[in-house]
Amino acid sequence: MLVNLWGPKKTISFLGCSVQLFIFLSLGTTECILLTVMAFDRYVAVCQPLHYATIIHPRLCWQLASVAWVMSLVQSIVQTPSTLHLPFCPHQQIDDFLCEVPSLIRLSCGDTSYNEIQLAVSSVIFVVVPLSLILASYGATAQAVLRINSATAWRKAFGTCSSHLTVVTLFYSSVIAVYLQPKNPYAQGRGKFFGLFYAVGTPSLNPLVYTLRNKEIKRALRRLLGKERDSRESWRAA
């Protein structure tokens, strides 16, 4: 996708489009499920800190990760072939930055009712349901925190959940704009931008968001900013 965006050649083979669609569906579904698992992890860390090591043990982590990957592979195996078997229009011009289900459905010149129903069902299962569970988890977490009359506890809870909440907001706002949009040209044009953002922007920001709470990263950033400030001051003095 990035090669197509930055290079002069804006074409992709059918095989390349198939591989891109399969991987994109798989990784996107995995992200939805893993964000839900992480919300559960934050809930246990804040609401049941004394039992955290007992509940969130390594075996459970492996099981939840395995469920996320298996479900994402099943989703890709089911939806990719049905999308690629659509009768596509002769111009074969994808109105998007990459091969994904909504853009390929729009490219079809045949009946897409089955594919649209399939897309709607998968969107509910892998977007609406995980997001609802995340919101319910944070609702219970907020209730538990508000019952504690301690500013220190509030700061700790916010520090535990802030990075995950940021990523959830960035990811799901983009996914909803792409997969749960109304059928009109304005929404489709906006969906292309959000599709590009959650395909490139969100994964690029994830490491930064998650590591900003790391003390070593914070110290390194302070040293870097301090050096830049000193260099600017010395340049002005010179």
Side-chain angles (χ1 to χ4, degrees):
M1 183 190 68
L2 293 177
V3 168
N4 284 338
L5 285 175
W6 292 335
K9 190 177 180 182
K10 304 296 182 185
T11 59
I12 187 170
S13 66
F14 182 79
L15 177 60
C17 184
S18 305
V19 173
Q20 190 181 70
L21 176 65
F22 183 89
I23 294 175
F24 198 71
L25 279 173
S26 178
L27 293 181
T29 305
T30 304
E31 178 84 355
C32 290
I33 300 172
L34 286 180
L35 286 174
T36 310
V37 171
M38 292 171 69
F40 172 68
D41 173 80
R42 267 55 175 184
Y43 167 78
V44 176
V46 173
C47 299
Q48 301 185 41
L50 299 179
H51 300 284
Y52 180 83
T54 305
I55 298 173
I56 310 294
H57 51 81
R59 184 181 176 185
L60 178 63
C61 294
W62 280 107
Q63 290 172 343
L64 292 173
S66 300
V67 167
W69 284 106
V70 169
M71 289 184 70
S72 67
L73 287 174
V74 170
Q75 156 73 349
S76 291
I77 290 170
V78 170
Q79 197 156 16
T80 300
S82 63
T83 304
L84 294 174
H85 278 90
L86 285 169
F88 296 117
C89 297
H91 62 78
Q92 296 182 342
Q93 199 168 26
I94 301 174
D95 186 24
D96 209 333
F97 295 107
L98 73 161
C99 295
E100 59 178 342
V101 177
S103 57
L104 292 174
I105 288 177
R106 291 195 298 269
L107 181 62
S108 174
C109 290
D111 182 20
T112 59
S113 302
Y114 171 77
N115 299 84
E116 289 175 2
I117 293 172
Q118 190 182 55
L119 177 61
V121 171
S122 62
S123 297
V124 169
I125 295 173
F126 295 111
V127 177
V128 177
V129 171
L131 181 59
S132 301
L133 292 174
I134 291 171
L135 293 176
S137 172
Y138 274 111
T141 302
Q143 286 182 346
V145 171
L146 291 173
R147 286 198 294 265
I148 305 172
N149 294 321
S150 170
T152 304
W154 290 356
R155 282 196 298 270
K156 286 183 177 179
F158 179 76
T160 301
C161 302
S162 58
S163 57
H164 180 253
L165 272 173
T166 303
V167 172
V168 166
T169 303
L170 291 172
F171 180 76
Y172 274 102
S173 59
S174 305
V175 170
I176 288 171
V178 174
Y179 287 94
L180 300 177
Q181 61 178 337
K183 285 187 175 181
N184 60 69
Y186 172 74
Q188 291 174 4
R190 184 183 59 185
K192 286 195 294 185
F193 167 75
F194 282 109
L196 180 64
F197 180 76
Y198 88 82
V200 180
T202 305
S204 302
L205 291 172
N206 276 355
L208 179 64
V209 171
Y210 283 123
T211 55
L212 279 179
R213 290 185 60 245
N214 187 291
K215 293 180 180 179
E216 294 179 1
I217 298 294
K218 288 180 180 178
R219 284 196 293 267
L221 283 174
R222 290 193 192 101
R223 286 197 298 269
L224 178 64
L225 294 174
K227 288 179 181 178
E228 289 182 355
R229 195 181 302 112
D230 292 341
S231 64
R232 285 198 298 268
E233 291 176 356
S234 61
W235 180 80
R236 288 173 186 169

